[in-house]
Structure formats: C-alpha cells, structure tokens
Amino acid sequence: LGSLHFFVATLPRVRLQQVRHHVDAGCFSSLSSISDPTSVCDSCDCDLEAVEIVSYDDMALDEDVYGFTIKSFIRDMFILEVNHHAGVSSFGRLARLSGSFLLLWVNILIQLVLIMATRYFVCAKAVRNIRLVYDEFEWNMYGEDESHMYKSADGFRRGKVEFFEPDNFANLANTLKDQACSIPLSRPTFLGLVLFIWTLTCIGELRRSYELWVALVWNSATSKTSFVAVRAEEEFECGVVKLRGLWRSAKVIVVVLVLIPRVVITCLLLWLGCRWLIATSSFESLILNAVALAFIKDIKDLVYTTLVSAACKRELELTRIKLAPHAKRERTDCFASFKALVWGFLAMAFVWAYIGIFQQVLVDYRWDVAGVCEDWVGAIHAFHIDI
C-alpha cells in the first residue's frame, strides 16, 4: 500500500515534467491536450518505427587471445600487403603476425593438454569409482542373486525391476550408503541445474564463434583487389581501423586457424565437463569441479591479459569489423528476443537429452537411488544443520 501511495503521489509530478518537456519542444499549443495519452505522439508526430528500431555499432573484438589474433591478422596483413606493393621489407611485421598465431596455438595446446590430462588422470578414475559404487548398490538392493541381475553394456551389474527390495537399504554399510546417496544422478534437479550452467557457459562460447563467423565470413564483403580491405576512421579523436572485406583465402585462414579450433575446444570442454560432473563422488565436489572446468575455459583470457603488451591491447580496442547494413539495424519485437532465448532452450534440451539418454557414466541407470536415500540424506542434513 505504501508503494502504491508513492506511485500515485508522484504520478502528477511525472506528468507535469512530460508536459513541460513537450511545451519546450513546441509540441503543444496548450496544456489541455495532455488529457489524452495518445495526443502526445499525435501532436509531436512521433515516429514509432524509429522507437522500435535499434542500431548497432560495428563489431568490436573480444579481449582474449582469439580477438588478439584476429586483430593482428587484420592490421598486420594489411600492412604486409601495402609494404609488398611498395617494395618495403616487412620482416618485423611478419614476425609479429607469426607471434600472434603462435600465442593462439600455445593457448590451444595448453587447453588440449589440460583436457586430455583431466580426461585420463581425473575423469576416468571418477567414472570407474562411481560405477563400482553403483554396481555394489545394485547387488545389495536386488537380493544378491545373479538371477536378479543383468550386465549393462559397460559390464557392470544392473538389477531387474521386479526384484528391487527397498528394505535392503537398511542393511547396507554406512560407507556404501553415503557413497550411493552421493551419486549426482540421484538428485537430477540439482545435477541438471549445474549442468545447465556449465552448458550455458559453453553455449556462450559457441554463440560468439558463430557471431564472428557471420561477421567475418558470411556477411563480410569478399575483396577482389586486396587480401585484407580496411579503412581508418576517426572516432572520439582515436584512429579506428575497420575491416571492410577479406579475400576468400583470408576467410579460409580465419575459419581454419581461429574459429574451428575455438569450437573444437569448446565442444571438448562441454563433453568432458558433463561426463566429469556426472561422475563426481560428492555434491560439494560437483561445484568445485565446475569451477575447475571454468578455469580451463578461461585460459584464453589469462594468456591475453598476461602476455599481450599494452600497445597491442590498445590496437585491439581500436579494431572493428564493419557490419553489413542490414545487420546494423534490428526491430525490437518478440522475434528478436526469441532468437536470443533459443540458445537457452538449446542448452536445456542438451542437458535433458544428456542426462536421460546420452550419458555413458552409468549405463542403464535405474533411477532407484533417490527414493531409498531420502531418510538417510535428510537425517545427515538435519544433523549438520543442528551443529
């Protein structure tokens, strides 16, 4: 009620400010026209089309090692081409361009080594341990009888539904109870939320790669006279270099050496992250492992921040990709909002399909842990809360 009273009390003041604004603009011959809400636009001849359209500046590059490499390719290749036609030596510029790509591929190599090491030394062990725990759980909960079991595709025991005995949970050792009830798949909502956040992080990387591909390859003009076509413009007293077009071979170089490696690294991280998180042995480690995965993903930012000079960083800030005319204006309607939400729906669909269909950590998971663990988990949590 207090908020409503404040809103009503301030409404006349806001309306008076609107009247003064339009009077100053010469839109009203008298104050009587304010009685009709639509008279504001009618009197001022408002352009609703202009209100619904937003315009974009030319695309800036990301402040990471990928953006740094694209910046170097644009600027250095242009200077190399100019010097070549002028007969001027460009060894220093060529060395600088090579160093940019070398830094990018050192970053990619570091990420690949960490991904493979995590896969073999960390994830594989976690998967093996959780499979053994679930195998022991199934053996005890289905009567410890081979006729009540079958072998899954990965060679571990799974119980037949008709032989499930919930009362056997009370006979399990406390260690096995704790391990079984800590299987992430026993809490699919919590696991799904963590996987969704991780998937959304990777989807963001894929989306940015797609946007760069559209700007650099699909919508970018194909230059027929120069390898890299740029234009220098003055903006805010700074010289801004804008990429206007690329030769076909230049587009191939950017796609093969920059964009495709970024997509591959992101997809590997998505696969490794989902597999490792499902195989995590405790819920607290679930969050810690997600942070460790983000550390691998963000190495590109660390390399750029630490190993790139201030002058090169300033060059990156002053480098733009010129957008096509139709890409610089967009209507703010439902379709524009839905296009962004599609990435979120894609992430949710992937998480649902991965947990329910594609995960290979616990093949033929029976979804039989959560029910029998309710009292055990509740008692443990209540004990910790009391403490």
Side-chain angles (χ1 to χ4, degrees):
L1 290 176
S3 301
L4 180 61
H5 174 73
F6 174 79
F7 172 77
V8 173
T10 57
L11 184 60
R13 192 187 316 163
V14 174
R15 175 62 70 182
L16 181 58
Q17 291 175 349
Q18 292 176 345
V19 172
R20 288 173 177 169
H21 170 73
H22 287 89
V23 169
D24 293 340
C27 296
F28 292 105
S29 58
S30 66
L31 298 182
S32 60
S33 62
I34 198 65
S35 60
D36 182 7
T38 61
S39 63
V40 175
C41 284
D42 293 340
S43 302
C44 296
D45 191 21
C46 294
D47 186 0
L48 293 180
E49 183 77 10
V51 175
E52 292 183 340
I53 299 295
V54 294
S55 60
Y56 300 102
D57 296 328
D58 292 315
M59 179 184 286
L61 295 171
D62 297 326
E63 294 186 6
D64 57 24
V65 71
Y66 292 99
F68 165 69
T69 305
I70 294 173
K71 180 274 302 180
S72 296
F73 183 76
I74 293 172
R75 287 176 172 264
D76 294 337
M77 282 303 304
F78 174 74
I79 295 175
L80 282 170
E81 186 175 10
V82 171
N83 289 345
H84 174 73
H85 291 303
V88 179
S89 175
S90 302
F91 177 79
R93 187 64 59 172
L94 182 61
R96 196 177 101 125
L97 177 61
S98 302
S100 301
F101 277 93
L102 178 62
L103 188 63
L104 171 66
W105 279 90
V106 166
N107 167 81
I108 292 172
L109 182 61
I110 292 173
Q111 289 182 305
L112 283 175
V113 170
L114 286 176
I115 289 172
M116 293 300 102
T118 303
R119 164 70 179 87
Y120 288 109
F121 300 132
V122 181
C123 184
K125 181 180 178 181
V127 170
R128 177 69 179 177
N129 290 341
I130 202 170
R131 284 176 175 175
L132 292 173
V133 168
Y134 190 59
D135 178 89
E136 186 67 19
F137 174 84
E138 293 287 281
W139 173 252
N140 286 274
M141 295 302 295
Y142 287 84
E144 300 182 0
D145 189 334
E146 289 292 346
S147 63
H148 298 175
M149 316 295 293
Y150 70 94
K151 291 293 183 69
S152 63
D154 55 359
F156 290 88
R157 294 172 293 192
R158 297 290 182 268
K160 299 177 181 178
V161 178
E162 61 270 20
F163 298 110
F164 183 63
E165 300 178 17
D167 294 337
N168 288 352
F169 184 78
N171 301 324
L172 299 181
N174 288 342
T175 302
L176 181 57
K177 288 181 181 178
D178 185 57
Q179 292 174 336
C181 294
S182 297
I183 292 175
L185 284 171
S186 68
R187 293 293 179 268
T189 302
F190 179 50
L191 173 64
L193 183 58
V194 175
L195 287 183
F196 173 74
I197 294 173
W198 172 242
T199 303
L200 208 60
T201 302
C202 295
I203 288 290
E205 288 289 309
L206 296 176
R207 178 182 179 179
R208 186 55 179 169
S209 300
Y210 169 75
E211 291 172 349
L212 286 171
W213 176 80
V214 170
L216 288 169
V217 180
W218 186 256
N219 286 338
S220 176
T222 300
S223 177
K224 298 181 180 179
T225 58
S226 58
F227 196 74
V228 177
V230 302
R231 179 179 179 180
E233 299 181 2
E234 291 292 331
E235 289 188 7
F236 306 107
E237 301 181 353
C238 297
V240 176
V241 173
K242 295 185 178 181
L243 175 67
R244 302 176 62 189
L246 293 170
W247 211 341
R248 284 190 177 90
S249 55
K251 292 182 178 182
V252 172
I253 291 174
V254 171
V255 170
V256 173
L257 297 183
V258 180
L259 298 183
I260 289 180
R262 183 174 187 172
V263 171
V264 171
I265 289 291
T266 303
C267 291
L268 287 175
L269 277 172
L270 179 60
W271 166 78
L272 173 66
C274 290
R275 184 176 177 87
W276 187 20
L277 292 174
I278 284 184
T280 302
S281 59
S282 64
F283 293 111
E284 57 269 25
S285 297
L286 195 61
I287 303 298
L288 295 176
N289 291 348
V291 174
L293 290 165
F295 161 76
I296 300 177
K297 181 192 74 70
D298 292 337
I299 287 176
K300 60 184 178 61
D301 303 311
L302 175 65
V303 170
Y304 171 78
T305 302
T306 308
L307 301 181
V308 175
S309 68
C312 290
K313 291 177 181 178
R314 183 56 178 163
E315 278 188 331
L316 178 59
E317 294 174 358
L318 298 176
T319 305
R320 302 282 188 274
I321 301 173
K322 188 173 182 59
L323 296 177
H326 70 273
K328 299 191 73 170
R329 292 169 58 84
E330 186 177 15
R331 184 180 297 275
T332 56
D333 53 12
C334 291
F335 178 71
S337 300
F338 180 75
K339 284 194 302 183
L341 291 176
V342 164
W343 297 98
F345 293 139
L346 181 62
M348 287 189 290
F350 173 82
V351 171
W352 176 83
Y354 187 83
I355 291 177
I357 302 174
F358 298 115
Q359 67 87 14
Q360 295 296 306
V361 175
L362 294 177
V363 180
D364 290 344
Y365 180 70
R366 310 299 299 167
W367 303 100
D368 49 6
V369 177
V372 297
C373 283
E374 287 295 337
D375 294 338
W376 170 265
V377 173
I380 292 178
H381 289 177
F383 174 74
H384 287 301
I385 292 173
D386 290 341
I387 292 178

